[in-house]
Amino acid sequence: MVLTSIVKVSDTILKKRYSNTMFDGGDVCFVIVATALVAFMIPGLSFLYTGLTRRKSALSLIWVVSASNAVCIFQWYFWGYSLAFSPTADNGFLGNLANFGLKNVLDQPSPGSPLIPALLYALYQMQFACVTIGIMIGGIAERGRVLPAMVITFVWVTLVYCPIACWAWNVNGWAYKFGVFDFAGGGPVEIGSGVGGLAYAWVLGRRQDKELRNFRPHNVSMVNLGTFILWFGWLGFNGGCAYGANLRAVMAIWNSMISAAFGGIVWCLIDYRLERKYSMVGFCSGTIAGLITATSASGFIKPWAAVIMGILSGAVCNYATKLKFILAIDDSLDIFAEHGVGGILGLLMNAFFASKEVIALDGVNTDILGGWVDRNWKQLYIQLAYIIAACLYTFVVTALIVHYVDTIPGLHIRVTSTAEELGLDEVEIGEYANDYIEIWRDVMDPNLMLASMNSRESTLDTIAVRCSRPALSQEISTRNLQVHDNLHTSDMEKPVELEVLSARDAARVSIIA
């Protein structure tokens, strides 16, 4: 009797609960999980960026991506969501402040889909903005100050990201009404971050020439780790844009996987043609290019088209890395080549391969015609108009934002040449991504450095060095102040790398065991 009563009460509670909501619990749960996956892309992006830079500025990029995430969360809560998605704004360009501070954002159907509530939609879209600014802010790599970058973050999300998101995804946006196909953010996310990062780097200026010589990523393992964390999160990024646990979400995830795989293979093979090496950085770059291209198109095309998209993304984005030399802009992390060009390519894929059959898989958009495969020939110029508008608007407004922030006292955007040589980790952060021993020596006197002894007393400026016999034959170049270890003996535990950085009246020597 007691058990029967409990079951009846439970049934009554559940019936009452579900009769009071118009949303399916599975759809809501799916988008919550997708939101968490997208949030996990932030550390993935940090790891990717830090691995691609020099050791002396590695932590600064982790910091700037992490801090920009916090600034963007505040901006989105404060007025970002309202400026992008307020349904009462009808100017087609930018929302109003009707939802300022998430006011009146609760259990009503979301502006993006009737399948989930507005409060969840706002949370999910916030993660898109956070990832976008995290990508864009990488334009400061190795020479940009972090405090001005945070000011630029708030202003940029307000004046660049929110308007473009409004164009494409707000029910009153001009691009939405025009019929643009942009599934998960080819315009606001990819073009916004890629072209925005290019503009930021352009205003910031090139790194010093000596910083560009013999440049290579300091930690390729971290690049690989960051890439696969991003890939994992991207499944929520693209799949979640179906806004429900439906077949369109599954199709988006399938297309993302296919495009990423082919993109990585093609990029790696192109690099092999030149170097006869299977580059890990190349494979990771191609994988990300495939995911970027899928951002725009994964919920519109069929898997066979994703194969074509992946091959094109790996090839086109690879060759696009040469554009920074043509444009003479120091896009140090190839943000434009990957995100800008990849976003453009994905939007164009929709013009040719978007399929009505795929679009209808969510059970909501059942009467939307696809692209050329559905004989919708006008879709190409619709996509082109959107691409041109997004690129021009992003570049011009980003350049103006960065320029005018630079004119504010105390907010100059670039570190000094000396600080750039020392590295942003020491100058801006005061901590290091990889711990190492620091010793101070007078490197201008080679005799002091070549002096060998069985033991040397430690002082505040030195550390004890114990060798059984002279082991290091060191050459000192006064031009670049590099110490080269040319001889390793068997009685030493393992070789060390010595890097001499000029500072104050002496030089700091970093020893990496």
Side-chain angles (χ1 to χ4, degrees):
M1 287 292 295
V2 174
L3 181 61
T4 304
S5 299
I6 292 175
V7 171
K8 289 181 179 179
V9 170
S10 299
D11 289 341
T12 302
I13 292 173
L14 289 174
K15 288 179 181 178
K16 183 178 179 180
R17 176 183 176 184
Y18 287 108
S19 64
N20 292 333
T21 178
M22 64 185 74
F23 307 111
D24 181 79
D27 292 338
V28 172
C29 182
F30 175 78
V31 178
I32 291 174
V33 173
T35 302
L37 289 175
V38 179
F40 193 48
M41 293 175 71
I42 299 298
L45 188 62
S46 299
F47 293 149
L48 174 69
Y49 278 1
T50 191
L52 287 172
T53 57
R54 285 182 176 83
R55 188 189 69 249
K56 63 183 180 181
S57 294
L59 188 62
S60 65
L61 279 173
I62 296 179
W63 191 98
V64 79
V65 172
S66 303
S68 67
N69 179 65
V71 173
C72 185
I73 290 172
F74 166 66
Q75 190 276 350
W76 198 255
Y77 161 75
F78 186 67
W79 62 22
Y81 174 74
S82 187
L83 292 176
F85 293 104
S86 57
T88 57
D90 57 2
N91 59 62
F93 178 80
L94 185 64
N96 55 31
L97 297 180
N99 300 121
F100 178 83
L102 296 183
K103 178 183 177 182
N104 298 322
V105 179
L106 194 58
D107 60 350
Q108 62 271 36
S110 73
S113 172
L115 299 177
I116 60 173
L119 188 63
L120 177 56
Y121 184 75
L123 179 66
Y124 184 62
Q125 285 293 337
M126 180 187 72
Q127 294 305 141
F128 277 51
C130 290
V131 171
T132 303
I133 190 60
I135 297 168
M136 194 279 288
I137 211 69
I140 76 167
E142 301 192 336
R143 77 269 198 204
R145 293 181 64 225
V146 298
L147 177 59
M150 296 304 99
V151 176
I152 290 169
T153 291
F154 188 91
V155 179
W156 188 88
V157 176
T158 300
L159 298 182
V160 178
Y161 182 85
C162 288
I164 300 178
C166 179
W167 300 355
W169 294 327
N170 192 308
V171 292
N172 294 313
W174 70 263
Y176 183 92
K177 291 182 176 179
F178 196 36
V180 165
F181 289 163
D182 189 353
F183 186 65
V189 177
E190 307 302 354
I191 290 178
S193 62
V195 177
L198 185 72
Y200 199 152
W202 176 60
V203 178
L204 195 59
R206 288 168 53 84
R207 288 167 290 178
Q208 300 178 73
D209 287 342
K210 59 184 176 182
E211 296 295 322
L212 296 173
R213 298 194 194 109
N214 300 320
F215 175 80
R216 65 178 185 270
H218 96 279
N219 193 330
V220 178
S221 297
M222 198 66 77
V223 174
N224 180 265
L225 175 63
T227 297
F228 278 83
I229 290 176
L230 284 171
W231 194 341
F232 179 65
W234 229 302
L235 302 183
F237 197 99
N238 290 349
C241 280
Y243 301 115
N246 51 58
L247 279 178
R248 194 178 187 190
V250 178
M251 182 65 76
I253 292 173
W254 256 114
N255 288 336
S256 300
M257 299 292 282
I258 292 170
S259 182
F262 278 89
I265 292 169
V266 170
W267 190 305
C268 191
L269 291 177
I270 291 175
D271 283 356
Y272 179 84
R273 177 181 60 87
L274 298 174
E275 304 291 341
R276 289 295 185 265
K277 304 289 184 183
Y278 299 103
S279 168
M280 186 74 254
V281 173
F283 179 80
C284 290
S285 298
T287 299
I288 292 173
L291 290 166
I292 290 166
T293 311
T295 299
S296 309
S298 58
F300 286 103
I301 64 176
K302 294 184 177 181
W304 62 264
V307 174
I308 299 173
M309 181 171 66
I311 293 171
L312 288 176
S313 66
V316 173
C317 292
N318 183 300
Y319 287 111
T321 59
K322 310 301 185 291
L323 290 174
K324 62 186 177 186
F325 303 110
I326 298 173
L327 299 173
I329 298 176
D330 186 12
D331 183 13
S332 52
L333 300 178
D334 288 321
I335 296 173
F336 174 71
E338 291 263 23
H339 295 272
V341 174
I344 292 170
L345 183 62
L347 289 169
L348 291 177
M349 291 296 99
N350 285 337
F352 296 108
F353 301 123
S355 169
K356 179 180 180 180
E357 183 180 352
V358 174
I359 298 171
L361 288 176
D362 60 6
V364 176
N365 301 288
T366 56
D367 58 349
I368 297 178
L369 201 61
W372 281 22
V373 294
D374 290 335
R375 292 181 170 80
N376 182 18
W377 315 115
K378 68 177 182 179
Q379 194 62 43
L380 179 59
Y381 74 73
I382 292 175
Q383 299 296 108
L384 284 172
Y386 175 59
I387 290 169
I388 294 170
C391 288
L392 290 177
Y393 179 82
T394 299
F395 190 89
V396 171
V397 177
T398 303
L400 289 173
I401 291 171
V402 177
H403 170 73
Y404 282 110
V405 169
D406 190 37
T407 63
I408 300 173
L411 292 180
H412 50 283
I413 61 176
R414 182 164 181 154
V415 299
T416 64
S417 58
T418 302
E420 184 180 343
E421 184 178 353
L422 287 172
L424 269 64
D425 286 3
E426 177 172 334
V427 176
E428 291 279 287
I429 309 301
E431 297 166 336
Y432 306 93
N434 302 286
D435 195 18
Y436 54 90
I437 303 169
E438 297 182 358
I439 62 177
W440 290 85
R441 291 181 181 176
D442 182 8
V443 297
M444 303 311 294
D445 186 357
N447 293 325
L448 291 178
M449 298 195 65
L450 293 174
S452 60
M453 57 188 70
N454 288 335
S455 66
R456 181 165 57 192
E457 202 172 34
S458 296
T459 69
L460 292 175
D461 296 324
T462 62
I463 62 172
V465 177
R466 297 183 180 274
C467 298
S468 61
R469 59 190 176 86
L472 295 179
S473 173
Q474 296 159 324
E475 301 171 356
I476 301 176
S477 168
T478 58
R479 175 175 297 179
N480 57 23
L481 294 180
Q482 295 294 316
V483 180
H484 308 284
D485 182 3
N486 293 331
L487 177 64
H488 306 303
T489 57
S490 58
D491 57 348
M492 297 186 67
E493 289 185 4
K494 52 185 174 181
V496 296
E497 171 192 345
L498 301 179
E499 179 187 352
V500 182
L501 304 173
S502 61
R504 302 176 190 169
D505 296 329
R508 191 190 70 195
V509 183
S510 304
I511 297 185
I512 310 299

